Amino acid sequence: MSVEGAQDPTGIAITGVTHRYGPVRALDDVTLDLPGGTTIGLVGPDGVGKSTLLGLIAGVRRLQSGRLAVLGADMAVRRAREAFLPRVAFMPQGLGRNLYPTLSVWENIDFFARLFGMDAQARDARIQRLLDATGLAPFPDRAAGHLSGGMKQKVSLCCALVHDPDLLILDEPTTGVDPLSRQQFWTLVDQLRAERPSMTVIVSTAYMEEAERFSWLVAMDEGRVLISDRTPNVLARTGTGSVEAAYISLLPEGKRQQASGFVIPPYVDPGGPPAIEAEHLTRRFGSFTAVSDVSFTISRGEIFGFLGSNGCGKSTTMKMLTGLLDVTSGTAELFGEQITAGDMKTRMRIGYMSQAFSLYEELTVRQNLMLQARLYRIPPAQAVSRVEESLDSFELRGCADVSPASLPLGIRQRLQLAAACINNPEILILDEPTSGVDPAARDMFWRHLIRLSRQDHVTIFVSTHFMNEAARCDRISLMHRGHVLAVGTPAELVKKRSAPDLETAFIAYLQDAEAVTDAQETATAAAKPAPSARARWWHAAVRKWSALAGQWGGAWLPRAWAFARREAVELLRDRLRLMFALVGPLILLVVAASSISFDVEGVGFTVSDHDRTTISHELIDSFRGSPYFHELPPVADADTLDRTIRNGHAQMALDIPAGFARDLEAGRRPEIGVIIDGAVPFLAANVRAYATGVLMGYAGTLGREMPGTAGLPITVEPRFSYNQEFRSIYAMTPGVIMLALILIPTMLTALGVVREKEVGSIVNLYASPASVGQYLMGKQAPYAALATISYVMLVIVAVVVMGVPLKGSLLALTVGGVLFVLSATGLGLLISTFVSSQVAAIFGTSIICLIPSVNFSGLLYPASTLTGISRMVGLGFPAAWYQLISLGCFTKGLGTGSFGTMYLALGGFAAIYMVAARLLLKKQEA
């Protein structure tokens, strides 16, 4: 059905949609017609295009080709898409990816409610209702970063549902969540949908058993739709009894063959000491305990499964067993020997496969295996044969000379397994090796594990989220929040809980553990003292003021205020960023202004006096009496003089020729040698100027005392305007204030946006009715306020602590400072639009700010001396304009009337940067 022909205003019509990421085709001519008012499951492994398709439907990705109508809105038309956004709720993939870790549960949901324009009364009522429905009511003040994976997903769901949407899009909402939290999550979705039967729910999932709960099923592979129909019809059309079997039957013939059945031979314990033994193993990160009192043993050749949610401590335990992490307390032994970090002898007997792909995409499959062989110190001739054996054993021969980047996820995981086995390990530790892999590829992967265990007698320690995989293990350990709940064979654990299957048994164990945890948290909450009357008054006042501020400016300012309020709260709770913003500029001011000095004081000089007369001694005395020079022991000859200068023992030398006094008295002009160390040209020029001044003063005195000599008939007295004391700190301080205000606020503002790009929370902007302008203004406001506070602190320290006089108008300096801060933060926003990582933001900001600010602003030499391109660069950057204001106020005593042009320039920079950022930051991903 085409967009023009879409008759169902509650449905979704997709026609010929193709989407590419560079050369990779994520969606390939997808055409779908999905009904409204129902639940739709989108199934398939990672990398088949599910997230891309959901992003297009939610409006967070830009439509490249084809047609797409969602709830009657043409997603290719900007106005139609913006009108549609208040009706959709999008929960992106990843545990709590759309949440802000330092914000509490209540604050996160409140932020989303503000984005969708809800007033204070409606917000409070809706949030309380959602917290009650999800069981989160006891934890409104808990930071999102301190929640379990299941609780994070519940909060994310509350954030998505706070505005009562017509379309709810959930991208793999239960991946990495324990079975109990998954069960609670879907129960909650069912309850909320029962209240609104007209709401359409689209869910992508990697758990095939979850997909059976949806009314409509869409199966995808390699960017194409395999089938789209009602779930019972899908099972009937494929002649299968489960969604997983139906999905496998729809795959191409080559992939279906990977899922051919296999039998797991029973495990026979060979006896002897265990391969792995952990006793009371504990690992802490600061005050957080990731693994607590974990004990288990694994026999040789056994397949031991670790089952648990993301964040429960599985990966931490595995890293302790490989020596990658130190053990806080307890013991871990491999082959009867205690593990220590850096124990290479034991590590050579282990193969480790990390959760994420850890090989090199720049190398081919063969080259990656050869590199692993060399890292394990396998002799070259033997390494070649090992690599060839691995290519055959793990069925990688057909892609041996291909880069891993172009391989399907299942083959990439087989490559990682082959790399982990290249050293013929006795123990193989696999951290979620099949996460995101399709069922057929998972089966093929497990056939290799079974061969390694039963034929090669390799001990396998594997973590997984999938219950059918856990059932294949000889024994499993159920883990939750750093604790082991139970250990045994799958059959034993099921029987012990009188459960029909392993998942139900795991849920029963989790319910017992949660009951204990809930009782402890309730007792802790009850024991917590109630806030004081003053604290309650302050909290109420802040909320009231916040509510009033959010009502100003009609519909536009409240959303900008929502972003500003959230960013301010995050800043205030991030002590490191706060300290960097306020203390960093002060350190830069004190260190730079005090250490960068052009003052000439105590310059060491030596003398080679070949005349040795009273007049030559008077010449030397004129240097001795100057505070700028310090006399060193004299030298006897020219060679010694040259060596003293060359070795840096003296910066200047006087070479007084023989007959100096005689020539003066005879009216001749004797030549005095002044040798200056020119290694540092700027210092050398200053020394030359001061030495010339001393000599001119001496010549003037001599001319008055000896009228017949060749002395000058006048007295030369150098005079410096404005900075009469000619102290470098007076000249440097205004420039360093400029440098601190352009560098640190710009960097922090850029990082504030780029960090959201990296963690993915910027999707909250894409999927909300808020505009890019509201987002940018909201992001800029807290950093501009913080930079203004920093400006005040810099001026106070400069005047009060460092003793630099402010001779001009404080008002003039402050007006310029505020405009400069707006320019700097606007520049930070602009930089953030074309970088995508925080590292790039730091380097980019430093280069963009430092080069024109140091070289072309007037910091080191007057901007008026610049010509050509240098002058254009200086005038095209705000630093040069604020430098004129700062220097004029501090040293020249100027007021506001002198800086009209500078104020206009800074205001123009602030506006230009903001407009440019608004145009460059798109509200959709590519």
Side-chain angles (χ1 to χ4, degrees):
M1 180 171 62
S2 67
V3 173
E4 290 86 346
Q7 300 297 320
D8 185 3
T10 65
I12 300 169
I14 306 171
T15 306
V17 170
T18 297
H19 199 89
R20 292 180 176 86
Y21 300 104
V24 178
R25 184 174 294 190
L27 295 176
D28 187 5
D29 194 25
V30 171
T31 297
L32 282 172
D33 191 0
L34 302 176
T38 188
T39 56
I40 303 168
L42 194 59
V43 299
D46 288 352
V48 299
K50 303 191 305 297
S51 295
T52 299
L53 183 58
L54 292 183
L56 290 170
I57 294 173
V60 302
R61 291 195 180 277
R62 187 169 64 252
L63 187 66
Q64 294 179 353
S65 65
R67 297 176 178 176
L68 174 61
V70 184
L71 307 188
D74 187 346
M75 301 304 286
V77 179
R78 184 175 64 85
R79 289 189 178 181
R81 186 178 66 251
E82 290 178 353
F84 153 79
L85 287 175
R87 303 175 61 194
V88 66
F90 178 58
M91 183 173 158
Q93 183 180 356
L95 291 179
R97 188 183 174 197
N98 61 332
L99 302 181
Y100 302 92
T102 58
L103 267 61
S104 68
V105 170
W106 184 285
E107 289 167 339
N108 268 287
I109 305 173
D110 179 75
F111 167 69
F112 281 84
R114 291 172 183 270
L115 286 188
F116 284 91
M118 299 175 67
D119 59 47
Q121 185 175 357
R123 284 200 309 270
D124 290 347
R126 181 67 174 173
I127 293 172
Q128 190 60 55
R129 183 168 176 275
L130 288 169
L131 293 181
D132 291 337
T134 55
L136 294 170
F139 317 108
D141 298 322
R142 181 174 295 184
H146 296 161
L147 299 174
S148 66
M151 293 176 74
K152 284 180 180 178
Q153 295 304 80
K154 289 179 182 179
V155 177
S156 294
L157 184 63
C158 291
C159 293
L161 293 171
V162 71
H163 65 290
D164 212 11
D166 296 320
L167 173 62
L168 176 62
I169 301 175
L170 308 174
D171 191 0
E172 297 197 11
T174 58
T175 296
V177 177
D178 64 79
L180 176 59
S181 294
R182 284 208 301 268
Q183 183 187 72
Q184 294 171 342
F185 184 89
W186 292 121
T187 300
L188 174 62
V189 172
D190 291 341
Q191 290 174 351
L192 293 170
R193 192 173 177 277
E195 298 175 5
R196 287 202 65 207
S198 62
M199 181 172 66
T200 303
V201 180
I202 306 179
V203 182
S204 69
T205 180
Y207 299 106
M208 295 296 170
E209 63 273 14
E210 272 187 357
E212 297 180 3
R213 67 185 302 117
F214 305 121
S215 302
W216 193 278
L217 197 65
V218 178
M220 296 186 67
D221 183 60
E222 294 186 355
R224 297 183 179 92
V225 174
L226 300 177
I227 196 170
S228 176
D229 203 344
R230 295 190 179 278
T231 303
N233 295 347
V234 171
L235 299 179
R237 288 169 58 180
T238 57
T240 56
S242 68
V243 171
E244 180 165 333
Y247 183 83
I248 293 174
S249 70
L250 293 166
L251 291 172
E253 179 64 26
K255 293 186 176 181
R256 283 204 305 272
Q257 291 177 355
Q258 299 177 3
S260 58
F262 56 88
V263 177
I264 304 176
Y267 170 69
V268 178
D269 191 345
I276 301 176
E277 187 171 11
E279 290 187 3
H280 309 293
L281 206 58
T282 299
R283 171 66 192 192
R284 298 185 184 91
F285 296 94
S287 61
F288 174 68
T289 302
V291 175
S292 178
D293 197 29
V294 167
S295 299
F296 55 82
T297 59
I298 304 175
S299 301
R300 293 177 183 266
E302 184 179 18
I303 301 178
F304 188 87
F306 228 17
L307 196 60
S309 60
N310 282 353
C312 72
K314 302 189 304 296
S315 298
T316 301
T317 303
M318 289 182 161
K319 288 179 180 178
M320 285 191 286
L321 293 176
T322 57
L324 296 176
L325 276 178
D326 287 326
V327 176
T328 303
S329 63
T331 59
E333 295 183 353
L334 296 183
F335 314 110
E337 297 182 6
Q338 188 164 338
I339 301 169
T340 57
D343 182 3
M344 296 305 298
K345 181 180 178 181
T346 303
R347 196 175 295 181
M348 288 294 182
R349 304 170 68 183
I350 301 173
Y352 176 66
M353 178 176 168
S354 62
Q355 188 171 352
F357 187 77
S358 57
L359 301 180
Y360 297 92
E361 296 190 346
E362 298 84 357
L363 304 179
T364 65
V365 168
R366 190 191 305 272
Q367 289 169 338
N368 268 293
L369 293 176
M370 184 59 72
L371 176 61
Q372 287 294 112
R374 291 177 178 174
L375 291 176
Y376 277 103
R377 304 173 186 173
I378 299 173
Q382 191 177 352
V384 173
S385 62
R386 286 272 185 94
V387 169
E388 296 303 316
E389 290 173 9
S390 296
L391 292 174
D392 293 329
S393 299
F394 294 94
E395 302 177 57
L396 296 169
R397 177 70 63 182
C399 56
D401 299 314
V402 177
S403 167
S406 60
L407 296 176
L409 184 59
I411 299 179
R412 286 159 63 95
Q413 295 301 82
R414 260 190 285 144
L415 170 59
Q416 284 219 104
L417 179 60
C421 296
I422 198 72
N423 60 321
N424 289 336
E426 298 172 62
I427 294 178
L428 193 56
I429 298 179
L430 311 174
D431 193 359
E432 296 185 18
T434 60
S435 180
V437 177
D438 66 74
R442 283 207 302 270
D443 285 353
M444 187 175 189
F445 191 92
W446 270 88
R447 282 204 300 275
H448 290 293
L449 296 187
I450 293 165
R451 173 180 59 82
L452 289 167
S453 170
R454 299 305 189 252
Q455 297 179 18
D456 301 338
H457 306 292
V458 176
T459 303
I460 297 176
F461 186 14
V462 58
S463 67
T464 181
H465 290 308
F466 298 101
M467 292 298 162
N468 60 346
E469 288 190 346
R472 296 169 178 170
C473 298
D474 300 316
R475 286 189 307 139
I476 59 175
S477 170
L478 305 181
M479 197 167 185
H480 183 60
R481 295 191 181 183
H483 296 270
V484 170
L485 304 181
V487 179
T489 67
E492 289 172 350
L493 297 178
V494 170
K495 183 178 179 181
K496 187 175 182 180
R497 302 304 304 219
S498 302
D501 52 46
L502 184 58
E503 180 166 343
T504 306
F506 193 6
I507 290 173
Y509 284 109
L510 288 170
Q511 286 173 332
D512 291 346
E514 287 294 316
V516 175
T517 303
D518 291 345
Q520 292 173 345
E521 290 178 342
T522 301
T524 302
K528 186 177 180 181
S532 64
R534 183 176 181 180
R536 289 196 302 272
W537 174 87
W538 174 254
H539 182 69
V542 169
R543 290 198 63 185
K544 182 178 180 180
W545 183 85
S546 178
L548 290 174
Q551 294 172 2
W552 298 337
W556 201 92
L557 279 182
R559 289 194 178 106
W561 168 250
F563 286 114
R565 181 179 180 274
R566 191 216 74 220
E567 192 72 24
V569 171
E570 286 194 290
L571 265 175
L572 292 174
R573 292 176 184 171
D574 189 339
R575 295 182 179 178
L576 187 61
R577 269 200 296 167
L578 201 60
M579 184 180 71
F580 181 69
L582 296 178
V583 180
L586 295 180
I587 295 175
L588 179 62
L589 173 65
V590 173
V591 173
S594 301
S595 60
I596 300 176
S597 176
F598 302 127
D599 296 342
V600 177
E601 294 179 354
V603 174
F605 79 99
T606 187
V607 178
S608 178
D609 186 0
H610 301 282
D611 191 51
R612 300 181 183 275
T613 61
T614 302
I615 293 178
S616 68
H617 287 164
E618 290 175 352
L619 172 60
I620 298 170
D621 286 342
S622 66
F623 280 90
R624 290 181 183 138
S626 169
Y628 307 115
F629 296 96
H630 169 67
E631 186 180 13
L632 299 174
V635 295
D637 53 62
D639 291 339
T640 306
L641 186 148
D642 182 67
R643 188 165 56 252
T644 302
I645 294 291
R646 186 171 62 250
N647 293 338
H649 296 153
Q651 286 78 48
M652 188 192 77
L654 290 178
D655 188 7
I656 303 176
F660 170 71
R662 185 185 64 247
D663 290 343
L664 277 177
E665 291 171 347
R668 293 187 289 270
R669 293 178 178 270
E671 183 176 312
I672 301 172
V674 180
I675 300 92
I676 300 173
D677 184 355
V680 182
F682 201 96
L683 177 62
N686 282 344
V687 171
R688 180 180 63 180
Y690 279 87
T692 301
V694 172
L695 289 172
M696 292 173 69
Y698 169 75
T701 302
L702 195 62
R704 289 191 298 271
E705 295 177 353
M706 302 174 63
T709 66
L712 293 176
I714 60 172
T715 299
V716 180
E717 183 180 346
R719 180 175 180 274
F720 304 98
S721 298
Y722 307 118
N723 188 2
Q724 284 84 2
E725 298 89 347
F726 203 61
R727 292 187 59 193
S728 289
I729 194 171
Y730 293 173
M732 288 302 302
T733 297
V736 175
I737 290 176
M738 173 274 295
L739 192 62
L741 290 179
I742 190 65
L743 179 62
I744 294 178
T746 304
M747 185 180 296
L748 286 174
T749 309
L751 288 172
V753 176
V754 175
R755 185 174 59 254
E756 290 207 52
K757 290 183 180 181
E758 278 194 341
V759 302
S761 58
I762 198 169
V763 74
N764 297 330
L765 165 66
Y766 301 154
S768 75
S771 68
V772 173
Q774 291 167 332
Y775 173 77
L776 292 174
M777 180 170 286
K779 293 290 287 189
Q780 182 187 35
Y783 294 103
L786 202 59
T788 302
I789 296 172
S790 176
Y791 154 77
V792 173
M793 294 171 64
L794 287 169
V795 173
I796 291 174
V797 169
V799 175
V800 176
V801 178
M802 302 177 69
V804 178
L806 177 60
K807 299 180 179 180
S809 167
L810 177 61
L811 176 62
L813 183 65
T814 301
V815 171
V818 171
L819 291 173
F820 188 51
V821 160
L822 292 175
S823 300
T825 51
L827 177 61
L829 293 176
L830 178 59
I831 292 172
S832 71
T833 62
F834 54 83
V835 296
S836 55
S837 71
Q838 295 187 67
V839 173
I842 292 173
F843 279 99
T845 303
S846 300
I847 293 171
I848 291 172
C849 291
L850 287 177
I851 291 177
S853 299
V854 172
N855 295 305
F856 308 119
S857 69
L859 176 65
L860 300 181
Y861 31 79
S864 59
T865 62
L866 300 175
T867 59
I869 295 177
S870 298
R871 181 170 179 78
M872 292 175 62
V873 172
L875 295 177
F877 199 71
W881 298 94
Y882 183 68
Q883 173 71 358
L884 294 173
I885 297 174
S886 184
L887 199 62
C889 289
F890 270 100
T891 64
K892 299 183 180 181
L894 302 179
T896 54
S898 303
F899 303 126
T901 303
M902 295 76 170
Y903 292 155
L904 286 175
L906 291 175
F909 281 118
I912 290 171
Y913 290 153
M914 179 62 82
V915 170
R918 168 65 184 85
L919 295 174
L920 292 174
L921 182 62
K922 305 301 180 183
K923 206 190 164 182
Q924 286 182 302
E925 293 179 306

